[in-house]
Amino acid sequence: MSRTTLPATAVALSLLAALAPSAGAAVRADRGTGGDRIPALTDSRGRVLTLRGWNVGDKAHSGDAALSSVTEKHFRDMRAKGFNTARLLVFWDDLEPRPGQYSHRYLRTVERVLDWAAAHDVKVILDAHQDVFGPAFDHRGIPAWATRTDGLPFTPHPEDWFSEYFEPAVQRAFTHLYEDEDLRRAQARMWRVLADRFEDHPAVLGYDLINEPMGELREGEDLATAARRIEREQITPMYNRIADAIRSVDRDSWIFVEPTPIVGEGVPTGLGRIDDPKVVYAPHFYNSAMEVGGDYDPAARWIENYEAAVTRYPEEYKVPVVVGEWGPLNNSLPNMNRFYREAMASLGRYGSGWTGWEWCYGGGYCAVDATGAFRANKELTAEPYAEAVAGRVRSAAYDPAAGVYRLEYEAAGRRGSRVTELALPSGDWKVTARGALVLRDRDRGRARVLAAPDARVTVTVTRASGARP
């Protein structure tokens, strides 16, 4: 939920807890990425992509200092540990501080960060980030000049920031963003400016249109009912408007669309069809109990219930899934090792990848500490995987206990790409292939597999005895 080091609100916890399915709720047994139920993300050569990475951003600095805490080291270190993707936080209030006046300095700063990502072969999703709407409420995102509250009250909750989403002024601001024609045009223009500037940048994979959109509850609505109505009646039209604006300047990049954060409690989204050929469903994967510092409870079946709910939209609309944020606040609790192993297995069953929250050097949600070493249990996110498969994937799975990754695929035909690319985390890994040739890059964290057209290929990646990822 756009993490800070503060715990998520107890108000949101109480609202969401009532929505979670019971531990005995039925879960479909036919989930997974097999078959045609959920399509895969692909590149320009038709290869099947897997994204693994982290959010990168700087909420603390704005204006001339925007993104100053993000350095090339972020991307170099991520790539060295086997990650290939960053979800980069960009802020509308930095891009357009006054109506119609776009900051060329900010665009140059974003471009510099993208250049660092490209230099280390890290793909980037540009995320139009908002927290509690924006600076009118002492957060970041939508400019103050685009914030309309009709004079409704707002009470800050600095110890409980997520509860501020339920303040009347914040909820009304979302309604105006969705409904006021001039704000609709302004948001579309903002995205057209971003896409026009970066559509040819080699690092840019796509655009996440708005982080964790929220809205205004009506009298008598529970949170789940309100979320589905907002998604259906306000967020879906917004996404179609923005997609049209982006396509006026960029025909090729992927468009990432999010539901409200309520999906994290196993509530299926009310989003409708986005009329674009390159849409990615990008939900977030947070549990309210873990967000206030609690341990993972396997008996609650949260992961199973989330997976059952979150796969409905991509199965219906035939779009890939990339989870845009996930990761608990306290990673050192007794059940967190099990959580990471079960979460990684679940994410691999239905998704084309994920970006965790967040790549920073410190405590709280940070992936690594000040020395660059993984924090407790975060090392379990670093697995071997196929970044790009030149063919049809039949199966792909990693066994963390054995330290073995196995990929089976049918190579593309004569007109398709020949090259499958593997990403390897830190450590000593042996790569073998049946039906293809393995080429190890000078960079020990990469390997390529070359297959003849239509070959049946099995790739095995094995961790050396005694080595650790």
Side-chain angles (χ1 to χ4, degrees):
M1 295 178 182
S2 312
R3 305 304 126 195
T4 70
T5 55
L6 295 173
T9 173
V11 171
L13 174 60
S14 63
L15 285 167
L16 292 171
L19 305 178
S22 67
V27 177
R28 291 194 305 275
D30 61 346
R31 299 186 307 271
T33 52
D36 299 321
R37 291 189 301 279
I38 299 177
L41 194 69
T42 55
D43 66 9
S44 60
R45 290 180 278 176
R47 298 185 302 173
V48 174
L49 298 180
T50 296
L51 310 182
R52 298 278 179 92
W54 297 86
N55 283 260
V56 174
D58 180 358
K59 297 181 184 181
H61 299 96
S62 61
D64 290 349
L67 288 168
S68 56
S69 70
V70 176
T71 68
E72 185 173 4
K73 175 180 171 64
H74 286 68
F75 302 97
R76 181 176 61 246
D77 290 356
M78 285 172 59
R79 184 79 251 192
K81 290 185 181 296
F83 301 108
N84 68 350
T85 306
R87 180 175 178 258
L88 178 65
L89 280 59
V90 295
F91 295 107
W92 185 1
D93 59 289
D94 271 328
L95 176 60
E96 192 179 0
R98 289 171 294 281
Q101 297 183 26
Y102 299 98
S103 170
H104 296 288
R105 182 188 183 106
Y106 185 63
L107 289 169
R108 289 193 298 270
T109 300
V110 173
E111 186 168 28
R112 180 186 66 197
V113 174
L114 292 174
D115 289 345
W116 291 334
H120 296 283
D121 197 21
V122 174
K123 302 176 182 68
V124 173
I125 302 162
L126 290 174
D127 160 44
H129 209 82
Q130 67 80 27
D131 295 327
V132 194
F133 206 78
F137 307 110
D138 200 28
H139 291 274
R140 301 299 311 280
I142 296 150
W145 59 259
T147 305
R148 296 171 184 165
T149 66
D150 297 338
L152 293 176
F154 171 75
T155 301
H157 301 275
E159 77 292 348
D160 241 355
W161 65 269
F162 192 68
S163 66
E164 295 176 356
Y165 275 111
F166 301 95
E167 285 293 311
V170 176
Q171 297 206 337
R172 184 60 53 85
F174 275 104
T175 295
H176 281 293
L177 177 68
Y178 299 143
E179 302 297 340
D180 291 9
E181 187 58 38
D182 61 329
L183 295 184
R184 291 177 175 185
R185 289 194 300 267
Q187 187 184 32
R189 284 196 303 268
M190 176 274 293
W191 262 115
R192 189 160 56 243
V193 167
L194 274 177
D196 191 36
R197 178 64 177 260
F198 298 122
E199 56 109 0
D200 287 328
H201 197 285
V204 173
L205 177 71
Y207 313 110
D208 190 334
L209 303 188
I210 185 171
N211 178 69
E212 295 185 345
M214 296 286 278
E216 187 170 7
L217 279 69
R218 293 175 178 168
E219 187 174 355
E221 282 185 323
D222 62 40
L223 189 54
T225 301
R228 287 191 288 265
R229 173 186 53 78
I230 293 163
E231 289 162 340
R232 180 178 63 253
E233 298 180 6
Q234 294 177 316
I235 297 176
T236 299
M238 175 185 66
Y239 285 156
N240 277 299
R241 288 192 299 272
I242 299 174
D244 288 345
I246 289 172
R247 293 305 178 214
S248 70
V249 294
D250 182 346
R251 307 300 301 178
D252 298 321
S253 299
W254 288 92
I255 288 176
F256 292 71
V257 299
E258 300 187 31
T260 64
I262 312 309
V263 72
E265 291 302 321
V267 179
T269 183
L271 279 178
R273 182 179 301 280
I274 313 304
D275 295 321
D276 191 273
K278 298 191 72 174
V279 169
V280 180
Y281 184 51
H284 293 178
F285 180 40
Y286 289 121
N287 171 263
S288 54
M290 292 163 67
E291 286 302 286
V292 294
D295 201 357
Y296 174 54
D297 179 7
R301 298 181 60 81
W302 168 60
I303 289 178
E304 294 89 341
N305 290 322
Y306 174 89
E307 186 173 326
V310 82
T311 52
R312 293 185 189 179
Y313 183 87
E315 287 177 353
E316 179 178 359
Y317 291 105
K318 303 302 180 187
V319 297
V321 181
V322 173
V323 170
E325 291 184 21
W326 73 286
L329 174 63
N330 190 341
N331 298 280
S332 60
L333 295 171
N335 288 333
M336 283 302 172
N337 185 278
R338 178 172 176 177
F339 165 73
Y340 274 98
R341 293 181 186 277
E342 294 184 357
M344 288 292 291
S346 174
L347 291 165
R349 282 194 288 270
Y350 62 84
S352 287
W354 50 262
T355 49
W357 189 270
E358 67 177 316
W359 193 269
C360 53
Y361 301 84
Y365 288 97
C366 288
V368 292
D369 63 21
T371 71
F374 278 120
R375 299 187 63 245
N377 292 308
K378 295 280 192 178
E379 74 279 359
L380 297 173
T381 64
E383 299 178 348
Y385 62 99
E387 295 188 62
V389 178
R392 179 178 178 271
V393 177
R394 297 182 61 87
S395 65
Y398 178 63
D399 180 347
V404 176
Y405 169 76
R406 184 166 286 106
L407 165 70
E408 296 184 6
Y409 70 99
E410 295 174 1
R414 294 188 178 279
R415 295 185 179 182
S417 174
R418 304 266 65 79
V419 182
T420 289
E421 299 180 14
L422 304 177
L424 309 174
S426 303
D428 189 8
W429 299 89
K430 179 182 179 181
V431 183
T432 60
R434 186 172 69 245
L437 176 67
V438 175
L439 300 177
R440 289 298 295 265
D441 290 2
R442 291 181 180 179
D443 174 2
R444 291 178 59 82
R446 312 288 288 278
R448 290 174 294 158
V449 178
L450 306 181
D454 302 311
R456 183 75 172 266
V457 180
T458 300
V459 179
T460 304
V461 180
T462 306
R463 186 175 61 215
S465 177
R468 287 294 180 266

